[in-house]
Amino acid sequence: MQTLHNVHQQFAEFFKSETLKPFAFLVSKKLSEGHICINIDDTAVELEEMPFFDSKLVSNNIARLKEEPLVTLKDGAKQPFVLHNNRLYLQRYFNYETAILTRIKAFIESEKGQVEKKTQELTGHAQFITSLFKSSGSSASSVPIENIDWQLVAAVSGVLNNFTIITGGPGTGKTTTVAKILAILYTINPDLKVALAAPTGKAAVRMSESLKGSALDAAADIKEKFQNIAPATIHRLLKYIPDSPYFKHNKENPLNYDVVIVDESSMIDVALFAKLLDAIGPETKLILLGDKDQLASVEAGSLFGDLCKSQSGSTILSLGRAALINSFISDTQRQIHADYISKGNSHLLSEHIIELKRSHRFTSDKGIGKFSKAIIKNDIETLQEYLQNNQDEQVTIDTKYDNELFEQFVDGYAAYIKEPDIKKALQKLNELRVLCAVREGEHGLYSLNTAIENYLRKKKLIDKRSEYYENRPIIVTRNYYSLDLFNGDVGIIRPDENGLPKAWFEDSNKELKSVFPGYIAESETVFAMTIHKSQGSEYDKVLVVLPDNLNVQILTRELLYTGVTRAKSKVILQGSEAVILHTAEGLVERASGIMERFEE
């Protein structure tokens, strides 16, 4: 921590102005914490704790900063700092935010002349769309808003819009919705060129697999087109230039696709977000998928969440769009009703952000669905109910860090170790995972992996005498493009036919591939992994372990929600009652100015 402090101090000392130095330190510090700017109105207390702070300079911060020659108020001016709407940015991050804002506005402006044509295309295929979205036969929800066909709302909006965000929790059908959007678009234009991407290779492949496996009521030729869509990381899609922050695809050399679909968008930092939008051509449709309640990117910015928050409350549609959508739905219970129809002026992003409300994996009244909603809403009453009763089949809370419960869970790793078939072993390994909030300490990543290894060694399931011992599970921690391996890919160490230890992975076609472990030196043991690393993954069962310490900054409801919702059928949460309630109270708040800049 002291080293980081010194980095911010060195940055601030680069500037001669005594007025500017404490602000420079704070901007640098906040950037390292994920903020892309500081709100000057909220900095009084923090400034007093900064190096270089002068108690004489406690008032008129805005006025004094406006007089600084290294601070500009103009968009595009070449000064290191930008002051805009009482927010102070480093110029690069202000430019990223501006680029994102400008590009989204251009998307929406470009739609206006196409709405009539696209509406006619939709109505011309009304029978196909109706059959695509016929009721699944699932029983009606006790929550009326969940009965509306939000997937159809998202699909129609995705066809009409050039820019669409589709957000929703686990099991709400984001990938299913995209499959239906593509089915409609391929029906309209069989020669459609589609790109599929995600921040990590693992997430891109998982989405591709879901698309290929989707059970659509569509023609065979459309399903065949799904098989030919190759997933890519965003870096690979944009064609990264080694040892450079730039990409081959940009405004001057845009991507040659009709539709670009990006999954797990909450994980994209502001710099990559800006470069992605910069590379989308003027005639290309962009669809962003993600869960607005999940953790934001590890790097600076939380643009996906910020954009979703810019539309307060539920999705509101214009009367015309609601009527068009309802024309495809005969069941009045599934139609858009008056509560979700605009009564007047709407936000620029209205109808461009659609939230899928109903989970087909979890129900709202019990289990992981109810528990995860209580976490993200900090519903103390429901959380206390789980803590006191602890009788839910899907959710077990262990406030005592019971070692027997821990060992019962990790005993599940025996299944993959005993499985001789490597492909099946990989699948069994990925049926469960221990997830932790931190790396250090008794309940951190390193201690937990060591504890699991010691337990499995005691059971004679592993022999840990070499670094690359047989059946060691590993996670790749950087992108190895030449090996087609990506940050987050999980494999196991097993000997090949010559007895040489190899790291085995599944490729994007679910086929086995192996590399010498020495080629992927940046990898870690992965019996346990951080919740951050687990984003984009799903497991049948997870054990989430929180540190027994209230003074851990990263303990937030988004972190706990992300960990809990990685489980499909069972979650065990180890953490004291105080830590669990404290974590649900914490909130990821990253400063940016994009929401208010949409109003300008």
Side-chain angles (χ1 to χ4, degrees):
M1 282 308 237
Q2 189 60 39
T3 303
L4 281 175
H5 188 89
N6 290 340
V7 168
H8 309 316
Q9 189 157 337
Q10 287 169 9
F11 174 74
E13 284 176 345
F14 182 78
F15 304 99
K16 294 179 181 178
S17 166
E18 296 303 318
T19 299
L20 189 56
K21 280 181 181 178
F23 290 101
F25 185 99
L26 189 55
V27 167
S28 177
K29 176 177 178 288
K30 289 293 188 181
L31 189 61
S32 72
E33 295 169 359
H35 305 264
I36 63 173
C37 61
I38 58 172
N39 188 333
I40 303 299
D41 297 334
D42 298 336
T43 57
V45 174
E46 282 188 280
L47 280 172
E48 289 182 21
E49 299 170 356
M50 295 299 106
F52 320 108
F53 178 72
D54 185 343
S55 58
K56 297 172 191 170
L57 306 174
V58 292
S59 59
N60 299 322
N61 287 334
I62 300 293
R64 286 187 293 107
L65 283 170
K66 284 181 178 178
E67 293 172 2
E68 285 291 325
L70 297 181
V71 177
T72 181
L73 311 179
K74 296 178 182 176
D75 191 356
K78 300 297 182 186
Q79 297 296 353
F81 297 95
V82 178
L83 183 64
H84 186 85
N85 289 344
N86 291 6
R87 295 178 184 273
L88 188 68
Y89 299 77
L90 284 176
Q91 183 212 80
R92 185 199 309 172
Y93 287 88
F94 181 76
N95 290 345
Y96 286 148
E97 192 177 87
T98 301
I100 292 165
L101 184 76
T102 303
R103 190 67 191 90
I104 291 174
K105 286 182 174 179
F107 273 122
I108 293 170
E109 186 62 32
S110 69
E111 296 165 3
K112 292 178 180 175
Q114 304 171 16
V115 171
E116 188 176 341
K117 175 176 177 285
K118 289 178 179 177
T119 301
Q120 288 173 353
E121 288 171 342
L122 282 166
T123 53
H125 295 91
Q127 189 174 350
F128 173 64
I129 294 168
T130 302
S131 68
L132 204 56
F133 286 90
K134 63 178 180 287
S135 176
S136 62
S138 57
S139 58
S141 169
S142 58
V143 183
I145 194 173
E146 293 184 358
N147 290 317
I148 293 171
D149 197 336
W150 293 109
Q151 290 188 16
L152 176 54
V153 174
V156 170
S157 298
V159 173
L160 292 174
N161 299 341
N162 287 341
F163 176 79
T164 307
I165 286 175
I166 301 173
T167 183
T172 50
K174 296 184 288 292
T175 307
T176 301
T177 303
V178 164
K180 292 178 179 180
I181 291 173
L182 288 177
I184 296 167
L185 290 172
Y186 276 130
T187 302
I188 294 169
N189 174 16
D191 298 322
L192 194 77
K193 289 179 285 188
V194 178
L196 196 65
T200 66
K202 173 184 60 175
V205 168
R206 190 167 68 83
M207 188 194 185
S208 174
E209 289 169 354
S210 298
L211 269 180
K212 290 173 182 178
S214 58
L216 285 187
D217 186 10
D221 61 328
I222 290 176
K223 291 183 179 180
E224 187 179 338
K225 290 178 189 297
F226 283 11
Q227 306 302 314
N228 297 326
I229 302 175
T233 62
I234 297 173
H235 283 79
R236 176 155 279 190
L237 177 71
L238 299 182
K239 295 197 174 359
Y240 70 100
I241 299 172
D243 304 316
S244 163
Y246 303 108
F247 295 93
K248 290 179 182 176
H249 286 295
N250 50 37
K251 191 182 294 181
E252 284 70 41
N253 180 31
L255 292 163
N256 184 27
Y257 292 99
D258 300 303
V259 183
V260 174
I261 298 163
V262 183
D263 198 13
E264 298 293 347
S265 297
S266 64
M267 297 167 66
I268 308 174
D269 63 79
V270 65
L272 188 57
F273 212 105
K275 291 166 187 176
L276 171 67
L277 265 63
D278 188 53
I280 305 288
E283 304 302 318
T284 301
K285 184 187 294 291
L286 176 63
I287 299 173
L288 301 174
L289 309 178
D291 184 344
K292 65 180 175 58
D293 295 323
Q294 261 189 213
L295 281 166
S297 67
V298 176
E299 305 298 330
S302 52
L303 264 293
F304 185 80
D306 289 345
L307 291 171
C308 290
K309 286 174 195 167
S310 67
Q311 176 183 272
S312 58
S314 298
T315 305
I316 300 295
L317 304 171
S318 66
L319 186 62
R321 184 164 298 189
L324 175 64
I325 290 164
N326 286 342
S327 72
F328 302 117
I329 308 171
S330 57
D331 181 354
T332 55
Q333 212 175 14
R334 292 171 55 226
Q335 290 182 341
I336 304 295
H337 45 82
D339 292 348
Y340 307 105
I341 296 175
S342 173
K343 309 291 190 297
N345 292 336
S346 57
H347 191 277
L348 180 71
L349 290 175
S350 292
E351 302 187 323
H352 292 80
I353 303 170
I354 312 298
E355 182 177 359
L356 306 181
K357 310 283 187 182
R358 185 171 189 178
S359 175
H360 300 276
R361 184 184 307 164
F362 308 129
T363 61
S364 303
D365 57 354
K366 63 181 180 181
I368 295 169
K370 182 179 178 181
F371 186 55
S372 61
K373 281 188 177 177
I375 292 166
I376 208 66
K377 292 178 178 177
N378 189 27
D379 179 350
I380 295 171
E381 187 179 336
T382 302
L383 291 172
Q384 289 282 13
E385 179 187 318
Y386 274 91
L387 283 160
Q388 288 161 16
N389 295 333
N390 205 11
Q391 293 179 340
D392 194 293
E393 287 183 10
Q394 288 191 328
V395 180
T396 297
I397 299 178
D398 168 25
T399 58
K400 305 296 183 188
Y401 296 93
D402 183 351
N403 192 55
E404 187 178 338
L405 191 62
F406 176 79
E407 290 184 345
Q408 282 175 2
F409 184 87
V410 302
D411 202 50
Y413 284 124
Y416 93 85
I417 293 170
K418 292 176 179 177
E419 173 56 63
D421 184 288
I422 296 175
K423 193 171 180 180
K424 288 179 182 175
L426 277 167
Q427 290 165 356
K428 288 181 178 179
L429 168 63
N430 289 317
E431 287 174 358
L432 73 160
R433 193 72 86 244
V434 176
L435 304 179
C436 47
V438 295
R439 287 181 166 268
E440 310 287 348
E442 182 185 356
H443 305 297
L445 176 74
Y446 305 121
S447 291
L448 289 172
N449 269 319
T450 300
I452 296 166
E453 284 178 321
N454 289 341
Y455 173 78
L456 295 173
R457 186 172 55 183
K458 186 176 70 176
K459 290 278 187 177
K460 295 186 168 39
L461 290 165
I462 61 170
D463 182 353
K464 200 192 159 190
R465 280 182 287 187
S466 66
E467 181 182 3
Y468 297 114
Y469 61 84
E470 186 171 351
N471 285 311
R472 179 188 170 198
I474 60 169
I475 182 168
V476 179
T477 57
R478 60 158 274 206
N479 293 327
Y480 289 90
Y481 292 100
S482 61
L483 300 173
D484 209 30
L485 287 172
F486 303 99
N487 190 352
D489 285 349
V490 170
I492 54 176
I493 305 294
R494 283 200 179 175
D496 63 11
E497 65 274 12
N498 299 314
L500 295 172
K502 291 279 191 72
W504 297 86
F505 299 86
E506 275 191 340
D507 65 17
S508 57
N509 295 315
K510 306 290 278 183
E511 297 298 325
L512 277 178
K513 65 178 179 182
S514 66
V515 299
F516 286 109
Y519 290 167
I520 45 171
E522 291 187 54
S523 58
E524 297 178 341
T525 302
V526 74
F527 290 114
M529 69 194 301
T530 62
I531 294 170
H532 273 93
K533 279 283 186 189
S534 74
Q535 288 191 91
S537 298
E538 294 175 346
Y539 311 96
D540 288 337
K541 301 173 185 176
V542 301
L543 168 62
V544 179
V545 184
L546 298 179
D548 194 13
N549 181 352
L550 296 176
N551 299 315
V552 178
Q553 269 193 329
I554 66 166
L555 290 181
T556 62
R557 64 186 68 167
E558 292 89 351
L559 181 87
L560 184 52
Y561 169 88
T562 301
V564 164
T565 54
R566 297 312 89 203
K568 292 192 279 189
S569 62
K570 177 70 178 179
V571 61
I572 300 169
L573 173 60
Q574 289 192 317
S576 69
E577 180 173 337
V579 166
I580 291 169
L581 294 176
H582 170 77
T583 302
E585 189 179 355
L587 195 61
V588 171
E589 293 184 282
R590 291 186 168 184
S592 83
I594 197 150
M595 286 191 282
E596 58 199 45
R597 291 181 71 187
F598 268 110
E599 304 291 347
E600 292 175 355

